Amino acid sequence: MSALLDVKGVTMRFGGLVAVNDVGFSLAKGEVLAVIGPNGAGKSTLFNVITGVYRPTAGKVSFDGADITGKPAYEVVERGIARTFQSSRLFSDLSVLDNVIIGMHTRTKTGVLDALFRPGASKREMAACVEKAEALLKAGSGDLHAQRYRPAGTLAQADRRRLEIARALASEPKLLLLDEPSVGMDEVETDALVADIKRLRSKNPDLSVILIEHDMRVVEAFPTHVMCIDYGSRIAEGNFETVRADPRVQEAYLGKAAAHA
Ligand SMILES: Nc1ncnc2c1ncn2[C@@H]1O[C@H](COP(=O)(O)OP(=O)(O)OP(=O)(O)O)[C@@H](O)[C@H]1O
Ligand SMILES: [Mg+2]
């Protein structure tokens, strides 16, 4: 079976800095990949290349049989890749519910003209969106549904992270990219996040997930393939135990820790 996502020889330079250096990997339908690596390793940049925020300096990204290298972000979402961001990109003045509904815009059929000339169709579609958004808000841990009319900006940090995931899921992705979803969560919230992702996967066994994570408890919780990058390059790949035991991985983390000490 061909891979759902195929990243080949991706390099991303910013001036003289090589943020991602000749990285390649592929991901099958329903597979989970965890990307780890010290701060500044190039993890988020890799997501930005996959999702069309940047066109890579070199290399190719294929998804679901199509070349999506450098395609605009909206087209990437339309094709079935959704993501969350490391720092929240919610619309803080809009309600929790509206933030999820916005995530659906690539899947809705009616537009402004329909609202004017076919108001019935628009209204029906909107009602269906609300229903779907409410279901997504009920699905995860925490009680986002009870807070659905609150402005997103007033949510607690963990709820904001959960809302980002609900919004990403609203676009009905085949591949979900999570950039450090556990950031700012305490242990209990992190465990709930792991349970949420597990539940999501058992409900949608075909959904593929790439998870950038610093919290090794989260990485360990999934039967994942793990890839470690450092200074833009892939330095290790395999199951969690193999990657954790790899001397280059330990060196990458310890080296950075020593530099910060
Ligand atoms: N738009 C940009 N312009 C210039 N340099 C950038 C840009 N985006 C990222 N970088 C640089 O590329 C390198 C990789 O950054 P990136 O954000 O991908 O790291 P990361 O692995 O996600 O780190 P963290 O764990 O801290 O989130 C860093 O040196 C960063 O400063
Ligand atoms: Mg990052």
Side-chain angles (χ1 to χ4, degrees):
M1 202 189 73
S2 67
L4 177 69
L5 177 73
D6 196 22
V7 173
K8 273 205 181 86
V10 161
T11 294
M12 183 74 225
R13 289 174 196 274
F14 297 109
L17 178 91
V18 188
V20 176
N21 188 10
D22 193 21
V23 168
F25 65 91
S26 61
L27 189 75
K29 204 176 174 182
E31 201 182 350
V32 181
L33 170 72
V35 179
I36 64 167
N39 290 95
K43 305 179 296 296
S44 297
T45 303
L46 186 60
F47 271 17
N48 286 335
V49 168
I50 294 170
T51 56
V53 176
Y54 303 132
R55 169 181 279 279
T57 317
K60 187 174 166 187
V61 182
S62 310
F63 180 72
D64 215 4
D67 181 354
I68 59 159
T69 320
K71 293 272 187 233
Y74 70 84
E75 191 183 323
V76 174
V77 179
E78 228 167 69
R79 286 176 181 273
I81 304 182
R83 71 176 294 182
T84 64
F85 290 88
Q86 191 167 350
S87 48
S88 173
R89 300 275 175 98
L90 295 169
F91 295 96
S92 34
D93 296 333
L94 294 184
S95 73
V96 167
L97 189 66
D98 284 343
N99 268 278
V100 179
I101 291 172
I102 284 170
M104 291 172 192
H105 73 276
T106 53
R107 297 287 174 254
T108 52
K109 291 182 189 70
T110 60
V112 177
L113 288 178
D114 298 294
L116 291 172
F117 299 112
R118 296 171 59 228
S122 278
K123 268 195 190 144
R124 275 193 300 280
E125 182 163 59
M126 195 59 206
C129 284
V130 170
E131 199 174 310
K132 204 174 112 187
E134 297 215 351
L136 283 167
L137 291 172
K138 280 180 189 158
S141 61
D143 205 351
L144 282 179
H145 186 255
Q147 306 180 78
R148 65 194 182 281
Y149 300 126
R150 282 177 61 171
T154 66
L155 291 179
Q157 165 83 354
D159 284 332
R160 272 196 296 239
R161 311 293 313 185
R162 293 180 183 122
L163 176 54
E164 288 235 11
I165 297 175
R167 184 174 64 175
L169 290 173
S171 70
E172 298 173 10
K174 295 175 182 152
L175 169 63
L176 177 65
L177 307 182
L178 301 173
D179 196 343
E180 299 195 28
S182 75
V183 147
M185 291 189 174
D186 63 24
E187 259 184 45
V188 175
E189 291 161 345
T190 302
D191 288 344
L193 171 78
V194 167
D196 281 350
I197 302 174
K198 285 189 170 166
R199 198 171 328 113
L200 179 66
R201 282 179 37 73
S202 63
K203 270 198 288 184
N204 314 273
D206 282 349
L207 179 70
S208 306
V209 179
I210 307 181
L211 182 73
I212 293 177
E213 213 13 282
H214 277 297
D215 188 335
M216 292 305 141
R217 285 187 322 130
V218 177
V219 176
E220 205 177 0
F222 298 97
T224 36
H225 204 67
V226 181
M227 172 167 84
C228 180
I229 56 180
D230 190 27
Y231 293 110
S233 298
R234 183 178 61 184
I235 58 168
E237 198 176 354
N239 64 30
F240 178 70
E241 293 308 324
T242 314
V243 171
R244 184 170 58 176
D246 192 303
R248 281 163 304 181
V249 173
Q250 297 188 355
E251 162 72 26
Y253 276 94
L254 292 174
K256 292 282 155 66
H260 281 288

